[in-house]
Short mmCIF file of all heavy atoms in Angstrom, two decimals:
data_model
loop_
_atom_site.label_atom_id
_atom_site.label_comp_id
_atom_site.label_asym_id
_atom_site.label_seq_id
_atom_site.Cartn_x
_atom_site.Cartn_y
_atom_site.Cartn_z
N MET O 205 6.77 -6.30 10.23
CA MET O 205 7.64 -5.98 11.36
C MET O 205 8.02 -7.25 12.08
O MET O 205 7.34 -8.27 11.98
CB MET O 205 6.92 -5.02 12.33
CG MET O 205 5.87 -5.71 13.20
SD MET O 205 5.04 -4.57 14.32
CE MET O 205 3.62 -4.11 13.34
N THR O 206 9.09 -7.19 12.83
CA THR O 206 9.53 -8.37 13.59
C THR O 206 8.91 -8.33 14.98
O THR O 206 8.93 -7.31 15.66
CB THR O 206 11.06 -8.39 13.73
OG1 THR O 206 11.65 -8.45 12.44
CG2 THR O 206 11.50 -9.61 14.53
N GLU O 207 8.31 -9.45 15.36
CA GLU O 207 7.70 -9.58 16.67
C GLU O 207 8.44 -10.65 17.48
O GLU O 207 9.02 -11.58 16.90
CB GLU O 207 6.23 -9.99 16.55
CG GLU O 207 5.30 -8.84 16.24
CD GLU O 207 4.96 -8.00 17.45
OE1 GLU O 207 5.39 -8.37 18.57
OE2 GLU O 207 4.28 -6.99 17.29
N THR O 208 8.39 -10.52 18.79
CA THR O 208 8.98 -11.52 19.67
C THR O 208 7.96 -11.90 20.73
O THR O 208 7.31 -11.01 21.31
CB THR O 208 10.24 -10.98 20.36
OG1 THR O 208 11.18 -10.57 19.37
CG2 THR O 208 10.88 -12.08 21.23
N LEU O 209 7.80 -13.18 20.98
CA LEU O 209 6.95 -13.65 22.05
C LEU O 209 7.78 -14.44 23.04
O LEU O 209 8.57 -15.30 22.64
CB LEU O 209 5.83 -14.56 21.53
CG LEU O 209 4.76 -13.97 20.63
CD1 LEU O 209 3.74 -15.07 20.31
CD2 LEU O 209 4.07 -12.80 21.28
N LYS O 210 7.62 -14.18 24.33
CA LYS O 210 8.24 -14.99 25.36
C LYS O 210 7.31 -16.16 25.65
O LYS O 210 6.13 -15.96 25.94
CB LYS O 210 8.45 -14.16 26.65
CG LYS O 210 9.53 -13.11 26.52
CD LYS O 210 10.88 -13.78 26.46
CE LYS O 210 12.00 -12.73 26.39
NZ LYS O 210 13.33 -13.37 26.19
N ILE O 211 7.86 -17.37 25.56
CA ILE O 211 7.03 -18.57 25.66
C ILE O 211 7.55 -19.47 26.77
O ILE O 211 8.76 -19.73 26.85
CB ILE O 211 7.03 -19.34 24.33
CG1 ILE O 211 6.50 -18.44 23.21
CG2 ILE O 211 6.23 -20.63 24.44
CD1 ILE O 211 6.70 -19.03 21.83
N GLU O 212 6.64 -19.95 27.61
CA GLU O 212 7.01 -20.91 28.64
C GLU O 212 6.45 -22.27 28.31
O GLU O 212 5.38 -22.40 27.73
CB GLU O 212 6.45 -20.45 30.01
CG GLU O 212 7.31 -19.40 30.66
CD GLU O 212 7.03 -19.23 32.14
OE1 GLU O 212 6.15 -19.93 32.65
OE2 GLU O 212 7.69 -18.39 32.76
N GLY O 213 7.19 -23.31 28.71
CA GLY O 213 6.69 -24.67 28.57
C GLY O 213 7.38 -25.48 27.49
O GLY O 213 7.10 -26.66 27.34
N MET O 214 8.28 -24.84 26.73
CA MET O 214 8.99 -25.58 25.68
C MET O 214 10.17 -26.32 26.30
O MET O 214 10.95 -25.73 27.05
CB MET O 214 9.50 -24.64 24.59
CG MET O 214 8.40 -23.91 23.84
SD MET O 214 9.04 -23.05 22.38
CE MET O 214 10.09 -21.80 23.13
N GLY O 215 10.30 -27.62 25.98
CA GLY O 215 11.35 -28.38 26.62
C GLY O 215 12.24 -29.18 25.69
O GLY O 215 13.23 -29.74 26.13
N CYS O 216 11.90 -29.25 24.41
CA CYS O 216 12.70 -30.07 23.50
C CYS O 216 12.51 -29.63 22.07
O CYS O 216 11.75 -28.70 21.79
CB CYS O 216 12.32 -31.55 23.65
SG CYS O 216 10.67 -31.92 23.03
N GLY O 217 13.21 -30.31 21.19
CA GLY O 217 13.12 -29.97 19.78
C GLY O 217 11.72 -30.13 19.21
O GLY O 217 11.31 -29.41 18.30
N GLY O 218 10.97 -31.09 19.78
CA GLY O 218 9.60 -31.27 19.32
C GLY O 218 8.74 -30.05 19.61
O GLY O 218 7.86 -29.71 18.83
N CYS O 219 9.01 -29.42 20.73
CA CYS O 219 8.28 -28.20 21.08
C CYS O 219 8.58 -27.10 20.07
O CYS O 219 7.70 -26.34 19.68
CB CYS O 219 8.67 -27.73 22.48
SG CYS O 219 8.24 -28.88 23.79
N ILE O 220 9.84 -26.99 19.68
CA ILE O 220 10.22 -25.99 18.70
C ILE O 220 9.44 -26.19 17.41
O ILE O 220 8.89 -25.26 16.83
CB ILE O 220 11.73 -26.05 18.42
CG1 ILE O 220 12.50 -25.60 19.67
CG2 ILE O 220 12.11 -25.18 17.22
CD1 ILE O 220 14.00 -25.61 19.50
N THR O 221 9.38 -27.47 16.98
CA THR O 221 8.64 -27.79 15.76
C THR O 221 7.18 -27.44 15.89
O THR O 221 6.57 -26.85 14.98
CB THR O 221 8.79 -29.29 15.42
OG1 THR O 221 10.18 -29.59 15.28
CG2 THR O 221 8.06 -29.65 14.14
N THR O 222 6.59 -27.79 17.04
CA THR O 222 5.17 -27.53 17.26
C THR O 222 4.87 -26.03 17.22
O THR O 222 3.93 -25.59 16.56
CB THR O 222 4.74 -28.10 18.62
OG1 THR O 222 4.97 -29.51 18.64
CG2 THR O 222 3.26 -27.82 18.90
N VAL O 223 5.68 -25.25 17.93
CA VAL O 223 5.45 -23.81 17.99
C VAL O 223 5.70 -23.18 16.60
O VAL O 223 4.96 -22.30 16.17
CB VAL O 223 6.35 -23.15 19.06
CG1 VAL O 223 6.28 -21.63 18.97
CG2 VAL O 223 5.93 -23.62 20.45
N THR O 224 6.75 -23.64 15.94
CA THR O 224 7.06 -23.10 14.61
C THR O 224 5.89 -23.34 13.65
O THR O 224 5.48 -22.44 12.92
CB THR O 224 8.34 -23.73 14.06
OG1 THR O 224 9.42 -23.46 14.94
CG2 THR O 224 8.66 -23.18 12.68
N LYS O 225 5.37 -24.56 13.68
CA LYS O 225 4.25 -24.89 12.79
C LYS O 225 3.01 -24.08 13.14
O LYS O 225 2.29 -23.60 12.25
CB LYS O 225 3.94 -26.39 12.86
CG LYS O 225 4.89 -27.26 12.08
CD LYS O 225 4.43 -28.72 12.14
CE LYS O 225 5.38 -29.61 11.36
NZ LYS O 225 5.05 -31.03 11.54
N ALA O 226 2.75 -23.95 14.44
CA ALA O 226 1.56 -23.22 14.88
C ALA O 226 1.60 -21.76 14.41
O ALA O 226 0.60 -21.22 13.92
CB ALA O 226 1.43 -23.29 16.39
N LEU O 227 2.76 -21.15 14.56
CA LEU O 227 2.89 -19.74 14.16
C LEU O 227 2.87 -19.61 12.64
O LEU O 227 2.22 -18.71 12.09
CB LEU O 227 4.18 -19.15 14.73
CG LEU O 227 4.12 -18.81 16.22
CD1 LEU O 227 5.52 -18.49 16.74
CD2 LEU O 227 3.19 -17.64 16.50
N SER O 228 3.57 -20.52 11.97
CA SER O 228 3.65 -20.42 10.50
C SER O 228 2.30 -20.64 9.84
O SER O 228 2.10 -20.19 8.70
CB SER O 228 4.65 -21.47 9.97
OG SER O 228 5.94 -21.24 10.49
N ALA O 229 1.37 -21.29 10.55
CA ALA O 229 0.05 -21.55 9.99
C ALA O 229 -0.83 -20.31 9.98
O ALA O 229 -1.87 -20.29 9.31
CB ALA O 229 -0.64 -22.65 10.80
N VAL O 230 -0.42 -19.26 10.68
CA VAL O 230 -1.22 -18.04 10.71
C VAL O 230 -0.89 -17.19 9.47
O VAL O 230 0.27 -16.83 9.26
CB VAL O 230 -0.91 -17.20 11.98
CG1 VAL O 230 -1.73 -15.91 11.98
CG2 VAL O 230 -1.19 -18.02 13.23
N PRO O 231 -1.91 -16.89 8.63
CA PRO O 231 -1.65 -16.08 7.43
C PRO O 231 -1.06 -14.72 7.82
O PRO O 231 -1.65 -13.99 8.63
CB PRO O 231 -3.04 -15.92 6.82
CG PRO O 231 -3.82 -17.11 7.31
CD PRO O 231 -3.32 -17.32 8.72
N GLY O 232 0.10 -14.41 7.27
CA GLY O 232 0.75 -13.15 7.58
C GLY O 232 1.97 -13.30 8.46
O GLY O 232 2.75 -12.36 8.61
N ILE O 233 2.12 -14.48 9.04
CA ILE O 233 3.31 -14.74 9.86
C ILE O 233 4.28 -15.61 9.06
O ILE O 233 3.89 -16.60 8.46
CB ILE O 233 2.95 -15.45 11.20
CG1 ILE O 233 2.17 -14.49 12.08
CG2 ILE O 233 4.19 -15.97 11.91
CD1 ILE O 233 1.75 -15.09 13.43
N SER O 234 5.55 -15.19 9.06
CA SER O 234 6.57 -15.94 8.32
C SER O 234 7.91 -15.80 9.02
O SER O 234 8.04 -15.07 10.01
CB SER O 234 6.67 -15.42 6.88
OG SER O 234 6.98 -14.04 6.89
N ASP O 235 8.91 -16.52 8.49
CA ASP O 235 10.27 -16.45 9.03
C ASP O 235 10.29 -16.72 10.54
O ASP O 235 10.94 -16.00 11.30
CB ASP O 235 10.91 -15.08 8.73
CG ASP O 235 11.01 -14.82 7.25
OD1 ASP O 235 11.19 -15.78 6.50
OD2 ASP O 235 10.90 -13.65 6.85
N VAL O 236 9.61 -17.77 10.95
CA VAL O 236 9.52 -18.09 12.37
C VAL O 236 10.83 -18.72 12.85
O VAL O 236 11.35 -19.65 12.24
CB VAL O 236 8.35 -19.07 12.65
CG1 VAL O 236 8.25 -19.37 14.14
CG2 VAL O 236 7.04 -18.48 12.13
N ASP O 237 11.35 -18.17 13.94
CA ASP O 237 12.61 -18.67 14.53
C ASP O 237 12.37 -18.84 16.04
O ASP O 237 12.24 -17.86 16.76
CB ASP O 237 13.73 -17.67 14.26
CG ASP O 237 15.06 -18.18 14.83
OD1 ASP O 237 15.20 -19.38 15.06
OD2 ASP O 237 15.96 -17.34 15.03
N VAL O 238 12.32 -20.09 16.47
CA VAL O 238 12.03 -20.39 17.88
C VAL O 238 13.32 -20.80 18.58
O VAL O 238 14.07 -21.65 18.09
CB VAL O 238 10.99 -21.51 18.00
CG1 VAL O 238 10.71 -21.83 19.47
CG2 VAL O 238 9.69 -21.12 17.30
N SER O 239 13.58 -20.18 19.73
CA SER O 239 14.77 -20.50 20.52
C SER O 239 14.39 -21.13 21.84
O SER O 239 13.66 -20.55 22.65
CB SER O 239 15.58 -19.22 20.80
OG SER O 239 16.57 -19.49 21.77
N LEU O 240 14.89 -22.36 22.03
CA LEU O 240 14.63 -23.07 23.29
C LEU O 240 15.38 -22.38 24.43
O LEU O 240 14.85 -22.23 25.53
CB LEU O 240 15.14 -24.51 23.13
CG LEU O 240 14.51 -25.62 23.99
CD1 LEU O 240 13.01 -25.66 23.81
CD2 LEU O 240 15.13 -26.95 23.60
N GLU O 241 16.61 -21.96 24.15
CA GLU O 241 17.44 -21.36 25.20
C GLU O 241 16.87 -20.02 25.70
O GLU O 241 16.88 -19.73 26.89
CB GLU O 241 18.87 -21.12 24.68
CG GLU O 241 19.65 -22.41 24.40
CD GLU O 241 19.21 -23.12 23.13
OE1 GLU O 241 18.58 -22.47 22.25
OE2 GLU O 241 19.44 -24.33 23.01
N LYS O 242 16.38 -19.23 24.76
CA LYS O 242 15.85 -17.91 25.13
C LYS O 242 14.36 -17.96 25.49
O LYS O 242 13.81 -16.94 25.91
CB LYS O 242 16.04 -16.93 23.96
CG LYS O 242 17.47 -16.63 23.62
CD LYS O 242 17.54 -15.66 22.44
CE LYS O 242 18.97 -15.34 22.05
NZ LYS O 242 19.03 -14.51 20.82
N HIS O 243 13.74 -19.12 25.31
CA HIS O 243 12.30 -19.25 25.57
C HIS O 243 11.53 -18.20 24.79
O HIS O 243 10.66 -17.52 25.33
CB HIS O 243 11.99 -19.10 27.07
CG HIS O 243 12.79 -20.03 27.92
ND1 HIS O 243 12.53 -21.37 28.02
CD2 HIS O 243 13.89 -19.81 28.69
CE1 HIS O 243 13.40 -21.93 28.84
NE2 HIS O 243 14.25 -21.01 29.25
N GLU O 244 11.84 -18.08 23.52
CA GLU O 244 11.12 -17.09 22.74
C GLU O 244 11.01 -17.49 21.28
O GLU O 244 11.74 -18.34 20.79
CB GLU O 244 11.80 -15.70 22.85
CG GLU O 244 13.12 -15.62 22.14
CD GLU O 244 13.73 -14.23 22.21
OE1 GLU O 244 13.45 -13.51 23.16
OE2 GLU O 244 14.50 -13.88 21.30
N ALA O 245 10.05 -16.82 20.63
CA ALA O 245 9.86 -17.00 19.20
C ALA O 245 9.95 -15.63 18.54
O ALA O 245 9.37 -14.66 19.02
CB ALA O 245 8.49 -17.61 18.91
N ARG O 246 10.71 -15.55 17.46
CA ARG O 246 10.81 -14.33 16.67
C ARG O 246 10.25 -14.63 15.29
O ARG O 246 10.47 -15.70 14.75
CB ARG O 246 12.27 -13.89 16.53
CG ARG O 246 12.89 -13.39 17.83
CD ARG O 246 14.40 -13.20 17.64
NE ARG O 246 14.71 -12.26 16.58
CZ ARG O 246 14.78 -10.94 16.77
NH1 ARG O 246 14.59 -10.44 17.96
NH2 ARG O 246 15.07 -10.13 15.79
N PHE O 247 9.51 -13.69 14.74
CA PHE O 247 8.91 -13.93 13.44
C PHE O 247 8.52 -12.61 12.80
O PHE O 247 8.42 -11.57 13.47
CB PHE O 247 7.66 -14.82 13.58
CG PHE O 247 6.73 -14.39 14.68
CD1 PHE O 247 5.71 -13.48 14.42
CD2 PHE O 247 6.90 -14.86 15.97
CE1 PHE O 247 4.85 -13.07 15.43
CE2 PHE O 247 6.05 -14.45 16.99
CZ PHE O 247 5.03 -13.56 16.73
N ALA O 248 8.31 -12.67 11.49
CA ALA O 248 7.82 -11.52 10.75
C ALA O 248 6.30 -11.53 10.82
O ALA O 248 5.67 -12.55 10.56
CB ALA O 248 8.28 -11.58 9.31
N LEU O 249 5.73 -10.39 11.22
CA LEU O 249 4.27 -10.28 11.36
C LEU O 249 3.77 -9.19 10.40
O LEU O 249 4.17 -8.03 10.53
CB LEU O 249 3.93 -9.89 12.81
CG LEU O 249 2.44 -9.76 13.13
CD1 LEU O 249 1.85 -11.13 13.42
CD2 LEU O 249 2.23 -8.86 14.34
N ASN O 250 2.95 -9.62 9.47
CA ASN O 250 2.38 -8.67 8.51
C ASN O 250 0.89 -8.92 8.37
O ASN O 250 0.40 -10.00 8.69
CB ASN O 250 3.08 -8.83 7.15
CG ASN O 250 4.54 -8.40 7.21
OD1 ASN O 250 4.85 -7.22 7.38
ND2 ASN O 250 5.43 -9.35 7.11
N ALA O 251 0.15 -7.91 7.90
CA ALA O 251 -1.30 -8.04 7.71
C ALA O 251 -1.59 -9.27 6.85
O ALA O 251 -0.84 -9.53 5.91
CB ALA O 251 -1.85 -6.79 7.04
N PRO O 252 -2.65 -10.02 7.15
CA PRO O 252 -3.69 -9.70 8.14
C PRO O 252 -3.40 -10.22 9.55
O PRO O 252 -4.27 -10.13 10.40
CB PRO O 252 -4.92 -10.43 7.55
CG PRO O 252 -4.34 -11.67 6.95
CD PRO O 252 -2.99 -11.23 6.37
N ALA O 253 -2.23 -10.74 9.79
CA ALA O 253 -1.95 -11.30 11.10
C ALA O 253 -1.86 -10.21 12.17
O ALA O 253 -1.43 -9.08 11.89
CB ALA O 253 -0.65 -12.09 11.07
N THR O 254 -2.27 -10.56 13.38
CA THR O 254 -2.13 -9.65 14.52
C THR O 254 -1.33 -10.36 15.60
O THR O 254 -1.22 -11.59 15.61
CB THR O 254 -3.51 -9.27 15.10
OG1 THR O 254 -4.14 -10.45 15.63
CG2 THR O 254 -4.39 -8.64 14.04
N ARG O 255 -0.79 -9.57 16.51
CA ARG O 255 -0.04 -10.15 17.62
C ARG O 255 -0.95 -11.06 18.47
O ARG O 255 -0.51 -12.08 18.97
CB ARG O 255 0.54 -9.02 18.49
CG ARG O 255 1.45 -9.52 19.60
CD ARG O 255 2.02 -8.37 20.40
NE ARG O 255 2.64 -8.86 21.63
CZ ARG O 255 3.89 -9.27 21.72
NH1 ARG O 255 4.67 -9.24 20.67
NH2 ARG O 255 4.36 -9.72 22.86
N GLU O 256 -2.21 -10.65 18.59
CA GLU O 256 -3.16 -11.47 19.36
C GLU O 256 -3.32 -12.85 18.74
O GLU O 256 -3.42 -13.86 19.44
CB GLU O 256 -4.52 -10.76 19.44
CG GLU O 256 -4.56 -9.56 20.36
CD GLU O 256 -3.72 -8.37 19.86
OE1 GLU O 256 -3.58 -8.24 18.62
OE2 GLU O 256 -3.21 -7.62 20.68
N GLN O 257 -3.36 -12.90 17.40
CA GLN O 257 -3.47 -14.20 16.73
C GLN O 257 -2.24 -15.05 16.96
O GLN O 257 -2.33 -16.27 17.13
CB GLN O 257 -3.66 -14.00 15.22
CG GLN O 257 -5.06 -13.50 14.85
CD GLN O 257 -5.18 -13.27 13.35
OE1 GLN O 257 -4.22 -12.85 12.71
NE2 GLN O 257 -6.34 -13.54 12.81
N ALA O 258 -1.07 -14.41 17.01
CA ALA O 258 0.17 -15.14 17.27
C ALA O 258 0.13 -15.74 18.67
O ALA O 258 0.49 -16.90 18.87
CB ALA O 258 1.36 -14.19 17.11
N VAL O 259 -0.30 -14.92 19.64
CA VAL O 259 -0.38 -15.41 21.02
C VAL O 259 -1.35 -16.58 21.09
O VAL O 259 -1.04 -17.62 21.71
CB VAL O 259 -0.84 -14.27 21.95
CG1 VAL O 259 -1.16 -14.82 23.34
CG2 VAL O 259 0.24 -13.20 22.05
N LYS O 260 -2.50 -16.44 20.45
CA LYS O 260 -3.51 -17.50 20.49
C LYS O 260 -2.99 -18.78 19.85
O LYS O 260 -3.24 -19.89 20.35
CB LYS O 260 -4.79 -17.05 19.80
CG LYS O 260 -5.95 -18.02 19.96
CD LYS O 260 -7.23 -17.48 19.38
CE LYS O 260 -8.42 -18.39 19.74
NZ LYS O 260 -8.19 -19.81 19.49
N ALA O 261 -2.25 -18.67 18.76
CA ALA O 261 -1.73 -19.85 18.07
C ALA O 261 -0.79 -20.61 18.98
O ALA O 261 -0.82 -21.85 19.04
CB ALA O 261 -1.01 -19.42 16.79
N VAL O 262 0.05 -19.88 19.71
CA VAL O 262 1.00 -20.54 20.62
C VAL O 262 0.26 -21.17 21.80
O VAL O 262 0.54 -22.31 22.19
CB VAL O 262 2.05 -19.53 21.13
CG1 VAL O 262 2.92 -20.16 22.21
CG2 VAL O 262 2.91 -19.04 19.98
N GLU O 263 -0.72 -20.45 22.32
CA GLU O 263 -1.49 -20.96 23.46
C GLU O 263 -2.30 -22.19 23.05
O GLU O 263 -2.39 -23.18 23.80
CB GLU O 263 -2.38 -19.88 24.04
CG GLU O 263 -1.57 -18.80 24.77
CD GLU O 263 -2.42 -17.68 25.33
OE1 GLU O 263 -3.58 -17.53 24.91
OE2 GLU O 263 -1.91 -16.95 26.20
N ASP O 264 -2.90 -22.15 21.86
CA ASP O 264 -3.67 -23.29 21.38
C ASP O 264 -2.78 -24.51 21.17
O ASP O 264 -3.25 -25.65 21.22
CB ASP O 264 -4.38 -22.94 20.07
CG ASP O 264 -5.57 -22.02 20.28
OD1 ASP O 264 -5.95 -21.80 21.46
OD2 ASP O 264 -6.13 -21.52 19.30
N ALA O 265 -1.50 -24.28 20.92
CA ALA O 265 -0.57 -25.38 20.74
C ALA O 265 -0.14 -25.98 22.08
O ALA O 265 0.55 -26.99 22.13
CB ALA O 265 0.67 -24.90 19.96
N GLY O 266 -0.54 -25.32 23.18
CA GLY O 266 -0.29 -25.88 24.50
C GLY O 266 0.79 -25.20 25.33
O GLY O 266 1.25 -25.76 26.32
N TYR O 267 1.17 -23.99 24.93
CA TYR O 267 2.24 -23.28 25.64
C TYR O 267 1.75 -21.94 26.21
O TYR O 267 0.75 -21.40 25.75
CB TYR O 267 3.43 -23.05 24.73
CG TYR O 267 3.95 -24.35 24.16
CD1 TYR O 267 3.48 -24.81 22.94
CD2 TYR O 267 4.87 -25.12 24.86
CE1 TYR O 267 3.92 -26.04 22.43
CE2 TYR O 267 5.30 -26.33 24.36
CZ TYR O 267 4.82 -26.79 23.15
OH TYR O 267 5.24 -27.99 22.67
N ASP O 268 2.45 -21.46 27.21
CA ASP O 268 2.07 -20.20 27.83
C ASP O 268 2.91 -19.06 27.25
O ASP O 268 4.12 -19.18 27.12
CB ASP O 268 2.30 -20.24 29.35
CG ASP O 268 1.30 -21.14 30.03
OD1 ASP O 268 0.16 -21.25 29.52
OD2 ASP O 268 1.65 -21.74 31.05
N VAL O 269 2.23 -17.96 26.93
CA VAL O 269 2.93 -16.77 26.44
C VAL O 269 3.04 -15.78 27.59
O VAL O 269 2.04 -15.41 28.20
CB VAL O 269 2.18 -16.14 25.26
CG1 VAL O 269 2.86 -14.84 24.81
CG2 VAL O 269 2.11 -17.13 24.09
N LYS O 270 4.27 -15.37 27.87
CA LYS O 270 4.52 -14.48 29.00
C LYS O 270 4.81 -13.06 28.59
O LYS O 270 5.23 -12.24 29.41
CB LYS O 270 5.71 -15.03 29.82
CG LYS O 270 5.43 -16.38 30.44
CD LYS O 270 4.24 -16.32 31.39
CE LYS O 270 3.97 -17.69 32.00
NZ LYS O 270 2.76 -17.68 32.84
N GLY O 271 4.63 -12.76 27.33
CA GLY O 271 4.84 -11.39 26.91
C GLY O 271 5.43 -11.30 25.53
O GLY O 271 5.71 -12.30 24.89
CU1 LIG Y 486 9.06 -30.72 23.73
#
């Protein structure tokens, strides 16, 4: 299924790369598309990945998830 996370703290292309890599590293998450303008990440989430793991991956990368 497609999931969307609202993310705060991204300010440049480097942030997009960081968040994209962090999410893509979670087994089960693919097709990561991060938008600086919308402050969000969209991605395909399939087992064994969970939404909680996605949130944690973004937070561990240094960004705040707002929903
Ligand atoms: Cu940045």
